């Protein structure tokens, strides 16, 4: 007869039920092996779950590109719009129905090149929505052209002799344009990203999350990366520093590195609320 | 019955009255001459009825926001002119394919390019039809009087909601800025069509259900979680590469308009019963034409006028029938022959004579009367 060991209380971690938020019959997705878009999607779904958002009340809007295919796979009210135009479509939806939660999925080319004007003005209005910019420095869907975030000197099918255009810093642009929540994450730091997206979803106002998410198929191959994982380690891990650790590091260690985490958060009047409280109120007052 | 309100209104102001009468609750726009008064009017009037007005960063964003508001359930409007209408074309195609109701007003000014912003033209007739790429359905209504801008704007909303498609209200700068007495119709006096509601279970809902000619469009946030895309799609709204599905949907969106041309067409006929020479024209040019036809009748010439209030789909049948009865059809238009081409296509026997003007000045009754006299 063996002596019963005292029962060890193990915390049983239930696997997260992604299918609750997916349209499983629309899978497999179109993303290449090694692409981080799936990691970002999973972080987003966990954040949505944590925020307690209801599927019927979520509207996901995207533009055109690899990341913009995301809405097709999720069980929300979903709208795949035109190249660069996700933000104005989303603005119309949110303004018409301020009670709905609007999430915009866009890429760096979609948001900052063809949609650059919409991006700065959506930030300026501070309309309540979460915008996830998947930054891979590439036009993946069209086969690997340079984008507004491609580093100087990088190679693409349209910069065979090295890119000569300086890249945008998405977060600096969002902040300067008036977004009230600006953050950066990477697909490599998936747990941290989930937390960052959660914070963006619970912010009231324009929340922009720049997500560094390398493209191994085009950017990786053309810029001599060895593998998708090596690419993530270099671009997403080694090239970034969490803002909380940045203070402790000497300036030389921060040289050329991108900051992760919440980079800017302020409370300012939200657009739809302002419209109700100022425009409608004044227009309907008897005076 | 309450006496209807009579007001002295500019054409663009009448458009605002029409939109509000039709139940429009969303406007997104960008300033552009000569349509800006519509944005200004909507910015004042919409908030009074709890509606939403937003001035967007450009013309593209304006129509995109209006489409977004429409899928969220509001009757939506955007207005523009020539260059702005060019910029809106990509989104117009999106609304055609995604089948989202919308009204777009284009107050026509001189072109091409920046052209003559304060001068009238009728040179966007073909842009209204072919401006966006791909085969697509088009409905465009063409008022001639300020009162008619009101009633045709209401009709445009009705057609947009009924056929789940963008509808263009096309008029020239002359009537856009002209002031005339307008009677504001009492509630119920004009038909107002609201969007058909989805009533089925969410699991049975397909936004492009082939069992319907035009499936009901559920607004976002009503419990029907569905997908919308500008890609060729299946009945459930998801993209497809299946040639059969692509063909089916591309033909269906055309057929839903073609099958109802009788209901969408609207023509005004003046003195056509015994006419030997007819004038075919629209917008402010039809006002000159009516004057010219009256003068011709006074001079004993059997002249008549066919005035389309729907230019797209083109009134093929009316023109073909007319061409069998008259010797000549005169087509005055403030462009270099856009409608004339269509009339030539439909005309079986009659000679087709265009009168064209692109100097930013209206076509005068005298110009039309001269041509009537030559072809009596």
């Amino acid at each position: 007869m063996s002596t019963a060991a005292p029962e060890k209380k193990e915390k049983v971690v239930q696997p997260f039920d992604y299918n609750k938020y997916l349209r499983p019959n629309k899978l497999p997705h179109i993303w290449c092996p090694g692409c981080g878009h799936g990691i970002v999607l999973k972080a987003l779904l966990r954040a949505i779950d944590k925020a307690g958002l209801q599927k019927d009340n979520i509207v996901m809007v995207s533009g055109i590109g690899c990341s913009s295919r995301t809405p097709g796979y999720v069980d929300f009210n979903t709208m795949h719009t035109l190249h660069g135009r996700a933000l104005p479509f989303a603005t119309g939806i949110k303004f018409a129905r301020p009670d709905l939660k609007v999430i915009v999925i866009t890429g760096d080319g979609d948001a900052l090149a063809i949609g650059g004007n919409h991006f700065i003005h959506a930030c300026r209005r501070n309309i309540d929505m979460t915008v996830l910019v998947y930054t891979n420095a590439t036009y993946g869907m069209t086969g690997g052209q340079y984008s507004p975030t491609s580093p100087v000197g990088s190679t693409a099918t349209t910069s065979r002799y090295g890119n000569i255009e300086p890249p945008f810093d998405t977060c600096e642009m969002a902040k300067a344009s008036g977004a009230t929540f600006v953050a950066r994450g990477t697909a490599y730091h998936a747990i941290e990203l989930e937390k960052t997206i959660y914070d963006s979803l619970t912010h009231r106002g324009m929340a922009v999350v720049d997500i560094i998410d390398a493209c191994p198929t085009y950017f990786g191959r053309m810029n001599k990366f060895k593998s998708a994982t090596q690419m993530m380690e270099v671009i997403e891990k080694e090239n970034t520093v969490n803002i909380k650790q940045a203070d402790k590091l000497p300036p030389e260690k921060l040289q050329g590195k991108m900051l992760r985490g919440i980079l800017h958060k302020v409370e300012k009047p939200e657009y739809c609320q302002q419209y109700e409280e100022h425009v409608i109120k004044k227009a309907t007052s008897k005076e | 019955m309450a006496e209807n309100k009579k007001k002295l209104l500019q054409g663009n102001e009448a458009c605002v009255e029409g939109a509000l009468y039709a139940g429009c609750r969303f406007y997104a726009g960008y300033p552009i001459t000569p349509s800006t008064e519509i944005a200004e009017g909507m910015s004042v009037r919409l908030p009074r009825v709890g509606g939403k007005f937003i001035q967007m960063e450009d013309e593209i964003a304006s129509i995109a926001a209006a489409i977004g508001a429409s899928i969220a359930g509001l009757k939506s409007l955007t207005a523009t002119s020539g260059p702005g209408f060019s910029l809106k074309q990509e989104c117009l195609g999106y609304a055609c394919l995604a089948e989202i109701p919308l009204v777009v007003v284009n107050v026509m000014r001189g072109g091409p390019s920046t052209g003559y912003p304060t001068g009238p033209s009728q040179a966007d007739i073909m842009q209204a039809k072919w401006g966006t790429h791909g085969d697509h359905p088009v409905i465009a209504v063409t008022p001639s009087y300020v009162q008619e801008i009101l009633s045709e704007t209401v009709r445009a909303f009705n057609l947009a909601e009924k056929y789940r498609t963008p509808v263009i209200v096309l008029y020239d700068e002359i009537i856009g800025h002209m002031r005339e007495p307008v009677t504001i119709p009492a509630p119920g006096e004009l038909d107002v069509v609201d969007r058909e509601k989805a009533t089925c279970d969410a699991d049975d809902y397909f936004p492009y259900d082939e069992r319907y000619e035009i499936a009901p469009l559920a607004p976002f946030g009503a419990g029907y979680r569905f997908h919308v895309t500008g890609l060729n799609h299946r009945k459930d709204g998801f993209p497809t590469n299946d040639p059969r599905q692509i063909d089916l949907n591309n033909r269906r969106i055309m057929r839903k308009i073609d099958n109802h041309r009788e209901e969408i067409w609207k023509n005004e006929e003046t003195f056509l019963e015994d006419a030997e020479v007819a004038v075919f024209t629209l917008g402010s040019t039809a006002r000159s034409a009516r004057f010219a036809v009256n003068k011709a009748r006074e001079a004993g010439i059997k002249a008549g006028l066919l005035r389309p209030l729907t230019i797209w789909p083109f009134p093929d049948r009316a023109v073909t029938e007319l061409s069998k009865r008259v010797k000549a059809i005169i087509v005055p238009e403030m462009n270099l022959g856009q409608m004339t081409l269509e009339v030539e296509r439909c005309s079986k026997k009659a000679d087709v004579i265009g009168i064209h003007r692109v100097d930013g000045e209206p076509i005068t009754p005298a110009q039309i009367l001269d041509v009537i006299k030559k072809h009596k």
Side-chain angles (χ1 to χ4, degrees), chain A residues 56 78 80 95 118 125 275, chain B residues 51-52 57 225 227-229:
Chain A
D56 280 339
T78 55
H80 177 229
F95 192 26
H118 307 313
R125 285 187 196 102
Y275 187 83
Chain B
K52 309 292 169 74
E57 56 272 17
R225 297 188 301 275
H227 189 59
V228 180
T229 178

Side-chain angles (χ1 to χ4, degrees), chain B residues 46 142 147:
Chain B
L46 268 176
T142 50
Q147 181 78 52

Side-chain angles (χ1 to χ4, degrees), chain A residues 25 55-56 75, chain B residues 199-207 209 211 223-226 235-236:
Chain A
N25 62 342
K55 293 198 286 186
D56 280 339
D75 190 17
Chain B
T199 51
C200 65
D201 291 342
D203 289 344
D204 297 332
Y205 180 72
F206 299 104
D209 199 333
R211 288 174 299 178
Y224 297 91
R225 297 188 301 275
F226 60 96
K235 68 172 180 178
D236 58 5

